[in-house]
Amino acid sequence: MSLRSPIPGQAHHKVKREESSFLGKLGGTLARKKKAKEVSDLQEEGKNAINSPMSPSPIDINPEDTLLEENEERTMIDPNSKEGTKFKELVKVLIDWINEVLVEERIIVKSLEEDLYDGQVLQKLLEKLACRKLNVAEVTQSEIGQKQKLQTVLETVNDLLRPHGWTIKWNVDSIHGKNLVAILHLLVALAMHFRAPIRLPEHATVQVVVVRKREGLLQTAHVTEELTTTTEMMMGRFERDAFDTLFDHAPDKLSVVKKSLITFVNKHLNKLNLEVTELETQFADGVYLVLLMGLLEDYFVPLYNFYLTPENFEQKVHNVSFAFELMQDGGLKKPKARPEDIVNLDLKSTLRVLYNLFTKYKNFE
């Protein structure tokens, strides 16, 4: 649109009317442009803050994540961090575990963010793990209904975990908002609490970008979020016993206990011309545990029941699990340790299992 000078001779009131009409339209247009520019500037400010030279790497963010109220903050995962080996392994292990638990429900999870946010899968998972039915609607399409279901599910989870020392790092809004960090914290806690037969990668971390609004300006910070520690530390939240005290406060006595256990197991394994010198490693594949149980209970274990030369983690877990079954058949309680802990060379777990055998069979010739 081009502007022309008024034509001489036109009525003064007509010029005024046209000016008034034109300025009104122009004012509305400028107001809309100004508002659009403010939103655009704010979004650009958010991108610039995150993509600033102080940031380790550029972050491609949703413009909505920069439209914050004063003192509000939002977090997002650095996309480059998602490519980390341990992070990807953690996500895969948890997805495979959920699908295994819910196989009878014919539920297949492909994305933790997209499949868990509405509470439906979390409800089914918790019901299966805890062997209890939750009083919630089966299917909810509305956001209010989904959040109500999540509230019930998470309250149940929190009641289970809090007494065991877990820090609650999730809530209804973070899960429903598809916050992957919160979802991972929740699943790791559930897997550890219910002793899932899986091996979580230790010391898995992710880089998180925190965006805050302070005095009208966006501020960013990069934080390393720890998703897992060691298996021993995560499992240690639930129970401490004499071995914990031994490890923490009496390492000199620990060596005495190890020598006693080595003497005990060799007393029986020597009958098969086998000898143990390292408790940490020689029971990790489960073979010696199976053979030891056969010797202690005086029967031959058919070779087709276990892997005599296990080649991978799964076969080793099979062997240790089978040895645990033989222990229970012999009248022992189910070991507190997980088969995965033994395979992962967790000395404390190995000592607990062997000490239980020693206590029952120490006078057995």
Side-chain angles (χ1 to χ4, degrees):
M1 177 180 178
S2 57
L3 301 181
R4 293 180 297 177
S5 300
I7 300 173
Q10 283 189 328
H12 179 70
H13 70 276
K14 185 177 181 181
V15 173
K16 282 287 186 184
R17 189 165 56 247
E18 287 182 354
E19 284 182 358
S20 175
S21 175
F22 169 74
L23 291 174
K25 292 178 181 179
L26 182 60
T29 302
L30 289 175
R32 287 193 297 272
K33 287 184 177 180
K34 181 180 179 182
K35 186 174 182 180
K37 187 175 187 302
E38 287 176 352
V39 173
S40 177
D41 288 347
L42 186 56
Q43 293 174 356
E44 191 64 30
E45 179 191 347
K47 291 184 179 179
N48 289 340
I50 294 177
N51 296 335
S52 66
M54 296 297 291
S55 302
S57 57
I59 307 296
D60 184 18
I61 62 169
N62 187 329
E64 290 183 2
D65 288 331
T66 65
L67 299 176
L68 307 180
E69 299 294 332
E70 184 66 21
N71 295 321
E72 184 183 357
E73 75 173 41
R74 292 186 189 173
T75 61
M76 61 208 77
I77 295 178
D78 182 336
N80 294 325
S81 189
K82 288 185 178 182
E83 298 303 313
T85 303
K86 288 190 176 182
F87 180 83
K88 292 170 72 172
E89 181 185 354
L90 178 63
V91 171
K92 182 181 185 306
V93 168
L94 290 172
I95 288 177
D96 290 345
W97 169 58
I98 294 171
N99 288 335
E100 180 66 27
V101 172
L102 299 180
V103 64
E104 294 180 0
E105 301 286 340
R106 297 182 180 179
I107 291 174
I108 298 178
V109 170
K110 295 182 179 179
S111 165
L112 295 179
E113 304 102 303
E114 297 300 327
D115 295 336
L116 269 64
Y117 81 95
D118 62 359
Q120 182 75 13
V121 173
L122 284 175
Q123 172 207 339
K124 296 295 183 183
L125 180 64
L126 183 59
E127 288 179 340
K128 201 76 173 179
L129 294 173
C131 299
R132 59 188 289 186
K133 188 75 174 173
L134 297 182
N135 185 24
V136 293
E138 282 299 316
V139 180
T140 52
Q141 298 294 337
S142 69
E143 180 177 334
I144 294 177
Q146 291 171 354
K147 287 189 172 183
Q148 288 174 341
K149 172 179 283 192
L150 271 175
Q151 184 72 33
T152 301
V153 172
L154 295 184
E155 283 178 355
T156 306
V157 170
N158 297 348
D159 288 343
L160 287 172
L161 297 181
R162 273 203 186 96
H164 298 290
W166 283 97
T167 301
I168 307 302
K169 297 183 177 181
W170 54 83
N171 55 41
V172 171
D173 289 333
S174 62
I175 301 297
H176 195 268
K178 304 180 183 180
N179 184 317
L180 183 55
V181 173
I183 293 172
L184 288 172
H185 278 307
L186 171 61
L187 293 177
V188 167
L190 286 175
M192 289 294 97
H193 180 77
F194 289 102
R195 297 180 175 272
I198 57 177
R199 178 178 60 174
L200 296 177
E202 297 186 343
H203 300 297
T205 62
V206 66
Q207 289 293 318
V208 176
V209 181
V210 182
V211 183
R212 301 184 183 91
K213 190 168 187 179
R214 296 287 185 272
E215 297 179 357
L217 298 176
L218 292 179
Q219 303 173 351
T220 64
H222 284 71
V223 179
T224 299
E225 186 80 14
E226 187 176 57
L227 300 172
T228 63
T229 56
T230 64
T231 300
E232 181 179 347
M233 287 180 65
M234 289 185 287
M235 293 304 297
R237 300 171 185 268
F238 303 114
E239 52 199 28
R240 289 184 62 82
D241 56 18
F243 279 100
D244 292 299
T245 304
L246 212 57
F247 270 75
D248 295 341
H249 305 294
D252 53 328
K253 294 182 180 179
L254 179 62
S255 62
V256 175
V257 172
K258 289 171 67 175
K259 287 179 181 177
S260 298
L261 292 177
I262 287 176
T263 301
F264 163 70
V265 298
N266 280 335
K267 174 183 175 181
H268 302 285
L269 291 176
N270 285 166
K271 299 172 186 177
L272 298 177
N273 294 321
L274 300 174
E275 177 115 14
V276 169
T277 57
E278 291 290 335
L279 296 178
E280 294 94 326
T281 59
Q282 288 182 269
F283 286 95
D285 63 6
V287 175
Y288 278 14
L289 274 180
V290 172
L291 296 176
L292 181 60
M293 281 309 303
L295 291 165
L296 292 173
E297 287 290 329
D298 196 24
Y299 54 69
F300 174 76
V301 182
L303 298 180
Y304 58 77
N305 279 332
F306 67 104
Y307 298 95
L308 194 58
T309 55
E311 298 177 352
N312 55 45
F313 182 81
E314 287 71 26
Q315 291 180 358
K316 294 175 183 178
V317 169
H318 169 86
N319 284 353
V320 178
S321 299
F322 179 56
F324 283 8
E325 291 176 15
L326 297 180
M327 292 173 195
Q328 290 175 268
D329 290 343
L332 288 167
K333 292 182 179 180
K334 182 179 179 180
K336 292 181 179 180
R338 304 180 311 154
E340 291 79 8
D341 299 333
I342 307 297
V343 178
N344 283 329
L345 308 178
D346 179 36
L347 177 59
K348 196 182 295 184
S349 296
T350 304
L351 291 179
R352 285 189 177 112
V353 171
L354 294 177
Y355 186 75
N356 286 340
L357 295 179
F358 172 77
T359 301
K360 178 172 182 179
Y361 298 102
K362 60 184 175 183
N363 297 321
F364 178 79
E365 293 296 335

